[in-house]
Amino acid sequence: MKSAVRILFLFLNVLLALALLLCLTTRFFNPQSFPYIEVLALGFPIIFGLNCITSVFWIVSKEHKKYCIVSLIALLVSIPMICNYYVFGKKEPVKTTNNSLKIMSYNVMGFMYFTWRKSTEVKQQIFLHILKENPDIICFQEYHNDTNEKFIVLDSLKQQLNLSYVYHNKLFSVGDNHFQGNLICSRYPIVNVGKMDYEKTGNSAIWVDVAIGSDTIRIYNSHLESYRLSQENKQTVNEIRAAQNVEVAQVENIIVKLKNSIQKRGSQVEELARSMEECPYPIISCGDFNSLPCSYSYQRIKSVRNFTDAFLECGHGVGATFNWWPQLRLDYILVDPKFDCCKFKRTGLKVSDHFPICCEIDIQPSK
């Protein structure tokens, strides 16, 4: 009996190790053709943790220590990728200079517009946070604006923070008063603009060229395809996490939504990458990519110019930016390698389903 249990556990151990290695391959395959690998990779931190547990189990066993090699090999190969999720050890921030640029990226979830009783309170909390951070440039995703409301964030940003240069796209609009989409606010003049409204989705990317002294820098603000999980879907995930029984149809519905969103991002990220490749200026790419660090989308964008990931360069701890699921890092600030990242900050402001991220960048480093 013990022998049968050991063989079963070893078989499950091999499956876990293979699953971990398969997660690592997702960066190489455009999800338009291979979406299910990235679906599996959503659980990469969990699969990594389970392999750690199985390794420890075999190591402390009396007679079968050798079997720990199954997971240990997969774990060793995975260490570089797990370091894209967590920064171990706090790094000393680089001293900022007069040439530093502070940029913020934040998916504000429409300021809770559809739960209107909370909308004003949420907007005020977000504005006070921005006022405290005092960024030079802000990239908003899912920004909601309604000129009929009493408190308009955009007007306050212009007046109190001197973020008077603005560019936005209107993915959804009602007359001349209401719109929702991506928005960039800048303290520096915007000299050129562009946008990519992805067909048959509610997502987009916009860019602006800002003039800072004699230099021009392009800022991208991207909101790639969302997972579009309903409250029922999220409840099912919570039940799975709590080891409760769920119906197969509920799980299938979630997997289909994940697959569809991942496939759409595969085409969106190629359009975004082409735009970046054609850009004549240094780039700072911000936004809610809805993609994990091990994903094709993140790796494709990062590789366009060998961008520096601001969190990995000068952040620390857990980089998760998604309020609902504690291990998901979906929001990024990627910086042209000619610039230096000085300070990175992720604030635990729980008024949206995403956390705001902010980075100070030296745009004229001495190197």
Side-chain angles (χ1 to χ4, degrees):
M1 183 65 179
K2 288 184 178 181
S3 177
V5 171
R6 184 179 72 251
I7 292 172
L8 176 61
F9 190 82
L10 181 59
F11 174 73
L12 294 175
N13 190 176
V14 170
L15 290 181
L16 277 174
L18 290 175
L20 187 60
L21 294 174
L22 191 59
C23 289
L24 300 180
T25 68
T26 186
R27 73 179 94 171
F28 303 114
F29 300 104
N30 190 312
Q32 292 179 87
S33 303
F34 301 95
Y36 288 109
I37 300 178
E38 192 163 323
V39 172
L40 175 67
L42 289 170
F44 172 72
I46 296 172
I47 297 170
F48 185 92
L50 290 173
N51 275 278
C52 290
I53 292 171
T54 56
S55 293
V56 172
F57 172 83
W58 291 120
I59 290 172
V60 299
S61 68
K62 294 181 179 180
E63 301 177 0
H64 307 289
K65 298 180 185 294
K66 61 184 178 181
Y67 294 140
C68 73
I69 196 68
V70 175
S71 283
L72 282 179
I73 292 174
L75 289 170
L76 288 172
V77 175
S78 303
I79 287 175
M81 184 55 68
I82 204 68
C83 290
N84 283 337
Y85 286 74
Y86 315 101
V87 175
F88 302 96
K90 190 172 182 179
K91 299 179 180 179
E92 289 296 325
V94 177
K95 188 175 181 180
T96 55
T97 69
N98 293 332
N99 299 316
S100 66
L101 174 74
K102 190 170 187 179
I103 188 165
M104 174 184 287
S105 181
Y106 194 9
N107 183 326
V108 293
M109 199 174 66
F111 299 115
M112 300 284 285
Y113 177 70
F114 296 106
T115 55
W116 60 271
R117 294 180 186 276
K118 296 182 180 180
S119 179
T120 300
E121 177 186 343
V122 166
K123 286 194 291 186
Q124 289 175 337
Q125 288 185 60
I126 289 175
F127 174 74
L128 289 174
H129 173 73
I130 296 170
L131 192 65
K132 179 180 177 181
E133 293 297 328
N134 192 28
D136 298 301
I137 296 174
I138 306 176
C139 294
F140 288 111
Q141 304 88 43
E142 293 190 32
Y143 183 91
H144 157 76
N145 196 75
D146 191 337
T147 56
N148 289 327
E149 295 180 344
K150 293 181 179 179
F151 183 69
I152 302 174
V153 176
L154 186 55
D155 290 348
S156 298
L157 292 175
K158 290 179 178 179
Q159 295 167 9
Q160 298 190 44
L161 281 166
N162 193 29
L163 296 167
S164 54
Y165 300 97
V166 174
Y167 177 63
H168 59 75
N169 63 335
K170 298 181 179 180
L171 283 176
F172 308 104
S173 60
V174 180
D176 297 326
N177 298 321
H178 166 262
F179 75 84
Q180 183 165 312
N182 287 1
L183 182 143
I184 299 176
C185 299
S186 172
R187 191 165 290 160
Y188 299 98
I190 294 175
V191 297
N192 199 11
V193 301
K195 65 178 181 177
M196 287 159 273
D197 289 338
Y198 303 121
E199 294 184 4
K200 298 181 181 179
T201 74
N203 300 85
S204 68
I206 62 176
W207 58 261
V208 299
D209 293 336
V210 295
I212 304 177
S214 60
D215 298 322
T216 301
I217 299 173
R218 180 165 295 184
I219 310 295
Y220 279 88
N221 178 16
S222 306
H223 184 207
L224 301 182
E225 182 66 25
S226 305
Y227 290 106
R228 306 188 186 281
L229 297 182
S230 65
Q231 288 301 320
E232 291 77 12
N233 294 145
K234 292 180 179 180
Q235 179 61 33
T236 299
V237 174
N238 289 333
E239 290 171 357
I240 294 172
R241 291 165 66 183
Q244 299 177 11
N245 292 328
V246 296
E247 295 182 7
V248 174
Q250 293 175 305
V251 178
E252 289 178 344
N253 179 258
I254 293 173
I255 292 175
V256 168
K257 286 187 175 181
L258 294 177
K259 177 186 76 71
N260 291 341
S261 65
I262 288 170
Q263 282 183 312
K264 288 181 180 179
R265 278 200 300 276
S267 61
Q268 292 172 0
V269 77
E270 292 300 334
E271 185 176 349
L272 178 60
R274 284 193 297 271
S275 175
M276 291 180 176
E277 289 165 349
E278 295 168 358
C279 175
Y281 306 116
I283 293 172
I284 300 174
S285 177
C286 303
D288 172 12
F289 294 177
N290 276 306
S291 302
L292 299 173
C294 66
S295 69
Y296 175 86
S297 297
Y298 166 82
Q299 296 291 338
R300 176 72 173 97
I301 297 172
K302 190 172 182 292
S303 67
V304 170
R305 295 197 180 182
N306 193 27
F307 288 117
T308 299
D309 186 322
F311 166 69
L312 299 181
E313 183 69 15
C314 52
H316 70 278
V318 179
T321 63
F322 194 45
N323 190 2
W324 174 62
W325 188 271
Q327 302 300 324
L328 297 185
R329 184 159 80 99
L330 305 178
D331 303 80
Y332 303 90
I333 298 176
L334 304 180
V335 180
D336 196 288
K338 71 178 294 183
F339 302 147
D340 282 344
C341 297
C342 302
K343 297 178 182 177
F344 179 90
K345 183 178 182 180
R346 186 215 68 170
T347 306
L349 185 65
K350 296 184 178 181
V351 292
S352 168
D353 56 352
H354 289 254
F355 297 121
I357 56 176
C358 195
C359 184
E360 294 184 47
I361 301 163
D362 189 345
I363 58 174
Q364 291 182 346
S366 57
K367 62 183 180 183

